């Protein structure tokens, strides 16, 4: 018979308690196959130095964990990344707009106002860098395979278009390939309907990926199809399994080398 | 205000069901001079009391509450066992958020965001309890009750469950479903009392039982 039990405040073995140094961690590991042969507070009151102290600690730990779990569940991290991607686009647009206005002013006069514009633009560029770094960090956390395959920027943009990881993993590779090129895709469909010749887009957002961008035009379609297929797999692994699969990136790199040499 | 005592901290105040409480409103119920109105259409436990069934609480019980939802009933039960502890289990995050508001203001509720059908997951947290209250509209709710009772219910402990006929079998007659539930329960529990919750909750019964 096993005499080891996982309690929310530590491990109980042979009548002794090894107190956990991290209550939130041990709280989530307080699993036992069978009903405990003793009552937890009988052990706990001694560990915490009294009934009141015991329940105060229990309530505090349970509440902290509940708050975290609710937070994760309701305002999931993918929603945060999506908000960041949208913010990044706005910040980029602002930088461009301010740059234009700065040039307009400079052409006429090098005034103090122009200098102030420069400072503002500099500040926004710093913000852009911070947002990019945060996106990269978050994407690596929520979708390590997808991020490795597609790069944080492309991965985050795909996620933003899909609306959530849950929806992204339901997209077929053929859809992932053309996300972001909807306009030309539907234009092509419309032309095909009329029996005209049409150019179906080879890539949308994933064009930003270096493995596509750096290939000659004639090979980009093949690479895009391959990349989209791997992205679809990577997203599913991230969502359902959550472990890093090294072989994905390797196969992608091999395909890229192959196409480049041809 | 004319007060008539029904159970520990439960009264009729001018014919309105209330619990004695020093806390504010949780779900929109009225506050009357240190009493909180207990709305039977919102809480099955309130409906049961209005149907005439009483449960004797001492006030220092340890209670395992399965299916705490947003804490409507939990808030009143916390008024009743004001010197006890309620372990409130709920699996869905959305209502749980509301329940947490309650947990923050009171010190006798332990929130557990767990799946009640997997009691082993919180077996190192919840102590042996005097009472299990269950309001989970699920097909296997009796199974869930039994496994939790096995883990946590003290010898001679009691259970109070709310059963919704349609969640157990949506095609059978409610009467048949209830008979079946009572029969399954009777192998492990002594059924003390049961009854309907009409007109407050349609096709629902409560079952108050004691473990052998």
């Amino acid at each position: 018979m096993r005499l080891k039990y996982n309690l929310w405040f530590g491990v109980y073995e042979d009548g002794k308690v090894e107190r956990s140094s991290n209550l939130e961690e041990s709280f989530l590991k307080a699993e036992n196959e069978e009903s405990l042969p003793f009552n937890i507070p009988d052990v706990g009151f001694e560990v915490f130095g009294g009934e009141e102290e015991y329940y105060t600690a229990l309530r505090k730990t349970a509440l902290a964990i509940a708050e975290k779990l609710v937070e994760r569940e309701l305002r999931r991290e993918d929603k945060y990344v999506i908000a960041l991607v949208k913010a990044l686009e706005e910040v980029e647009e602002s930088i461009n707009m301010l740059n234009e206005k700065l040039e307009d002013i400079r052409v006429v006069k090098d005034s103090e106002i122009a200098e102030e514009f420069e400072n503002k633009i500099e500040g926004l560029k710093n913000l852009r860098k911070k947002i990019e770094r945060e996106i990269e960090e978050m994407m690596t956390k929520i979708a390590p395979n997808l991020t490795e395959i597609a790069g944080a920027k492309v991965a985050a943009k795909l996620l933003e278009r899909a609306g959530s990881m849950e929806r992204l993993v339901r997209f077929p590779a053929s859809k992932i390939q053309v996300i972001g090129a909807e306009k030309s895709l539907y234009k092509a469909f419309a032309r095909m309907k009329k029996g005209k010749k049409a150019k179906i887009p080879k890539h949308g957002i994933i064009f930003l990926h270096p493995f596509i961008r750096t290939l000659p035009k004639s090979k980009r379609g093949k690479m895009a199809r391959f990349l989209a297929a791997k992205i679809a797999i990577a997203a599913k692994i991230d969502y359902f399994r959550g472990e890093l699969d090294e072989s994905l990136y390797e196969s992608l790199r091999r395909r890229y080398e192959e196409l480049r040499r041809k | 205000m004319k007060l008539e005592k029904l159970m520990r901290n439960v009264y009729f105040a001018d014919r309105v069901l209330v619990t004695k409480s020093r806390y504010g409103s949780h779900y929109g119920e009225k506050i009357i001079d240190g009493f909180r109105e207990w709305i039977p259409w919102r809480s099955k436990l309130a409906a049961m009391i209005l149907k005439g069934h009483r449960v004797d609480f001492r006030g220092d019980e340890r209670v395992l509450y399965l299916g705490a939802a947003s804490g409507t009933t939990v808030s009143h039960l916390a008024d009743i066992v004001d010197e006890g502890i309620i372990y409130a289990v709920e699996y869905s995050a959305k209502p749980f958020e509301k329940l947490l508001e309650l947990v923050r203001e009171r010190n006798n509720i332990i929130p557990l965001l767990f799946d009640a059908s997997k009691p082993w997951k919180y077996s190192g947290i919840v102590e042996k309890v005097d009472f299990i209250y269950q309001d989970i509209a699920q097909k296997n709710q009796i199974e869930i009750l039994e496994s939790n009772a096995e883990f946590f219910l003290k010898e001679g402990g009691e259970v109070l469950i709310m059963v919704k006929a349609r969640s157990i079998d949506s095609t059978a007659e409610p009467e048949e479903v209830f008979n079946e539930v009572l029969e399954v329960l009777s192998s492990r529990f002594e059924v003390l009392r049961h009854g309907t919750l009409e007109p407050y909750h349609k096709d629902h019964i409560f079952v108050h039982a004691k473990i052998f």
Side-chain angles (χ1 to χ4, degrees):
Chain A
M1 201 185 138
R2 204 179 59 133
L3 282 167
K4 193 174 159 188
Y5 299 95
N6 300 312
L7 308 180
W8 68 272
F9 51 85
V11 176
Y12 179 90
E13 201 172 6
D14 297 332
K16 281 194 292 276
V17 180
E18 186 174 340
R19 204 178 153 169
S20 149
S21 56
N22 183 343
L23 289 178
E24 293 188 18
E25 207 177 285
S26 49
F27 187 94
L28 287 172
K29 282 198 246 158
E31 286 185 32
N32 300 281
E33 278 167 36
E34 279 170 42
S35 172
L36 273 48
F38 58 92
N39 200 8
I40 301 171
D42 293 344
V43 179
F45 290 177
E46 204 173 310
V47 169
F48 286 89
E51 177 171 353
E52 206 185 318
E53 290 82 358
Y54 174 81
Y55 286 114
T56 303
L58 172 56
R59 185 177 153 271
K60 207 175 125 198
T61 310
L63 185 59
I65 282 175
E67 278 169 345
K68 269 187 203 160
L69 293 177
V70 166
E71 179 78 17
R72 198 180 302 163
E73 195 80 15
L74 295 182
R75 279 164 289 281
R76 288 197 313 262
E77 286 157 329
D78 53 353
K79 297 276 187 276
Y80 176 52
V81 172
I82 289 168
L84 285 177
V85 169
K86 286 183 175 150
L88 186 63
E89 278 168 13
E90 292 293 324
V91 170
E92 274 168 351
E93 202 157 302
S94 301
I95 292 172
N96 287 338
M97 192 266 291
L98 287 177
N99 259 325
E100 264 175 46
K101 299 306 156 199
L102 173 65
E103 286 312 308
D104 289 351
I105 295 169
R106 261 214 196 118
V107 167
V108 195
K109 198 180 175 193
D110 229 346
S111 67
E112 246 174 61
I113 298 282
E115 205 171 296
E116 203 157 316
F117 263 80
E118 274 177 9
N119 290 339
K120 283 278 177 295
I121 292 167
E122 203 51 45
L124 282 175
K125 281 184 177 166
N126 280 337
L127 178 60
R128 178 174 66 187
K129 200 170 269 170
K130 270 189 198 155
I131 298 175
E132 281 171 343
R133 236 180 272 145
E134 180 80 346
I135 288 177
E136 194 164 343
E137 202 170 293
M138 293 303 297
M139 282 310 297
T140 311
K141 202 165 127 196
I142 54 182
N145 288 293
L146 176 62
T147 307
E148 167 134 321
I149 293 283
K153 198 171 181 178
V154 171
K157 279 184 186 245
L158 288 173
L159 174 58
E160 191 256 327
R161 284 308 178 98
S164 67
M165 275 305 282
E166 196 187 348
R167 290 192 55 192
L168 182 60
V169 299
R170 282 173 173 75
F171 283 175
S174 56
K175 168 130 192 172
I176 289 171
Q177 192 180 339
V178 295
I179 289 179
E182 286 83 358
K183 208 171 156 189
S184 51
L185 181 69
Y186 291 118
K187 208 159 108 191
F189 284 160
R191 283 180 66 89
M192 284 162 77
K193 231 176 168 177
K194 289 181 195 154
K196 291 181 190 168
K197 262 184 91 177
K199 270 191 188 164
I200 291 176
K202 293 191 279 286
H203 35 58
I205 287 167
I206 60 170
F207 176 68
L208 296 170
H209 196 284
F211 283 0
I212 293 183
R213 226 174 32 200
T214 55
L215 281 176
K217 249 186 167 176
S218 62
K219 292 175 182 165
R220 284 178 190 167
K222 281 195 177 79
M223 192 66 214
R225 199 168 59 229
F226 193 82
L227 176 62
K230 293 298 167 197
I231 285 177
I233 296 170
K236 287 179 179 74
I237 297 177
D238 287 331
Y239 190 72
F240 296 109
R241 186 143 44 102
E243 290 158 19
L244 198 65
D245 186 337
E246 309 261 332
S247 68
L248 272 174
Y249 186 79
E250 196 40 42
S251 74
L252 193 69
R253 203 190 48 80
R254 268 205 307 272
R255 181 71 177 145
Y256 173 70
E257 297 292 340
E258 210 177 279
L259 284 170
R260 217 177 51 163
R261 271 199 310 272
K262 263 187 199 163
Chain B
M1 185 164 65
K2 200 176 145 244
L3 279 179
E4 180 195 335
K5 186 167 179 171
L6 302 175
M7 280 163 46
R8 182 188 168 85
N9 289 346
V10 182
Y11 298 84
F12 272 137
D14 295 334
R15 309 196 56 83
V16 176
L17 187 68
V18 296
T19 52
K20 190 166 184 257
S21 179
R22 51 196 178 89
Y23 298 99
S25 178
H26 179 59
Y27 57 99
E29 76 283 17
K30 282 192 207 113
I31 307 294
I32 322 150
D33 286 343
F35 294 93
R36 293 168 53 234
E37 176 194 12
W38 195 356
I39 307 173
W41 285 277
R42 300 287 300 276
S43 167
K44 286 163 208 133
L45 185 55
M48 181 200 83
I49 294 167
L50 286 183
K51 295 288 286 188
H53 185 57
R54 313 270 181 264
V55 179
D56 283 324
F57 283 106
R58 300 182 308 267
D60 62 352
E61 281 88 352
R62 303 298 188 242
V63 179
L64 175 58
Y65 194 120
L66 306 173
S70 59
T72 303
T73 302
V74 177
S75 72
H76 291 286
L77 194 60
D79 287 339
I80 297 168
V81 293
D82 54 341
E83 289 163 13
I85 296 284
I86 299 174
Y87 292 90
V89 181
E90 171 58 48
Y91 194 35
S92 173
K94 193 69 211 161
F96 205 72
E97 204 180 17
K98 177 86 185 158
L99 178 81
L100 291 183
E101 289 173 19
L102 195 69
V103 174
R104 284 185 207 105
E105 84 174 10
R106 315 218 178 190
N107 56 20
N108 61 343
I109 306 168
I110 309 292
L112 298 168
L113 189 61
F114 283 93
D115 182 349
S117 67
K118 295 173 179 150
W120 55 89
K121 294 235 178 200
Y122 45 89
S123 59
I125 302 169
V126 175
E127 63 188 281
K128 307 291 180 208
V129 299
D130 306 284
F131 211 94
I132 296 179
Y133 182 91
Q134 187 196 46
D135 184 2
I136 300 182
Q138 272 190 72
K139 203 172 160 54
N140 58 342
Q141 84 167 91
I142 302 304
E143 230 174 90
I144 295 174
L145 174 76
E146 284 177 342
S147 60
N148 276 277
E150 200 165 303
F151 266 98
F152 308 112
L153 194 60
K154 277 183 194 165
E155 215 175 302
E158 295 178 20
V159 299
L160 183 57
I161 67 172
M162 302 296 160
V163 184
K164 183 179 174 187
R166 255 189 305 132
S167 352
I168 294 195
D169 188 335
S170 57
T171 56
E173 280 298 307
E175 203 60 27
E176 272 174 57
V177 176
F178 296 147
N179 284 335
E180 165 118 22
V181 165
L182 290 171
E183 201 187 306
V184 173
L185 274 175
S186 64
S187 69
R188 308 270 295 273
F189 299 91
E190 174 198 349
V191 175
L192 302 171
R193 187 156 175 196
H194 62 92
T196 81
L197 298 174
E198 309 270 354
Y200 309 106
H201 300 270
K202 214 173 159 267
D203 292 338
H204 275 80
I205 56 162
F206 72 87
V207 183
H208 183 191
K210 190 174 181 168
I211 198 154
F212 285 142

